[in-house]
Amino acid sequence: MSRWLKLLIGLALALAAGWVFHGPLGQGAAFVDQLEARVQAVVRDADLPGVEVRLGRDPLSRHAVLSGPANDFQREGLGTLPGLNQRIAGVAGISGFSWDRPDGAMPLLAETLLLVALAYAIGVGIGWLLARPKRESFL
């Protein structure tokens, strides 16, 4: 079996493991549920009646979509007083936010697969650096 085929099989298995963890095992939905609860708590603490927040569900996303009646001061804040935008952006795990319309956010599955592929490439690179045969020097 060629070296490239082994690398491709390893990458395919790593991506399949990432997909299984995200989808059938339900960890992607659990992560988005937990993140949405934290963001809703921030909105609730801001005490703005009628303002709602949700995260993407089809496909799963870390992008928050806010809706409701909020003026510019409530959204943007003023000076050292943070608005709702800064509070939402400060929640760990949120990739971005928008008002009243979902932007073209990257799905959580795509983020997961990109991170798995990156981790696989780093692992292969480290393995290549540490385990490659040493060349004999005749100098």
Side-chain angles (χ1 to χ4, degrees):
M1 190 178 311
S2 76
R3 179 181 333 173
W4 292 107
L5 184 60
K6 291 177 187 178
L7 288 173
L8 287 176
I9 290 172
L11 178 61
L13 289 174
L15 292 174
W19 174 79
V20 166
F21 186 75
H22 171 82
L25 292 181
Q27 294 303 308
F31 176 70
V32 170
D33 289 341
Q34 179 186 31
L35 194 56
E36 189 170 54
R38 285 191 294 185
V39 172
Q40 287 174 348
V42 167
V43 171
R44 193 172 40 254
D45 290 344
D47 198 25
L48 297 173
V51 174
E52 297 178 0
V53 63
R54 60 183 168 75
L55 281 108
R57 293 295 176 169
D58 190 24
L60 291 174
S61 168
R62 298 184 304 132
H63 188 84
V65 178
L66 295 115
S67 62
N71 60 31
D72 288 339
F73 173 70
Q74 293 168 330
R75 290 181 182 192
E76 300 296 330
L78 183 64
T80 59
L81 297 173
L84 194 55
N85 292 350
Q86 288 88 4
R87 292 179 186 190
I88 296 294
V91 174
I94 292 293
S95 65
F97 62 90
S98 60
W99 281 87
D100 298 324
R101 61 177 171 24
D103 274 345
M106 181 181 283
L108 188 60
L109 178 60
E111 290 182 23
T112 301
L113 294 180
L114 281 174
L115 288 174
V116 166
L118 179 64
Y120 181 78
I122 290 171
V124 167
I126 290 172
W128 180 78
L129 285 174
L130 298 178
R132 68 178 178 199
K134 302 292 183 208
R135 289 188 168 182
E136 293 291 329
S137 176
F138 296 106
L139 295 178

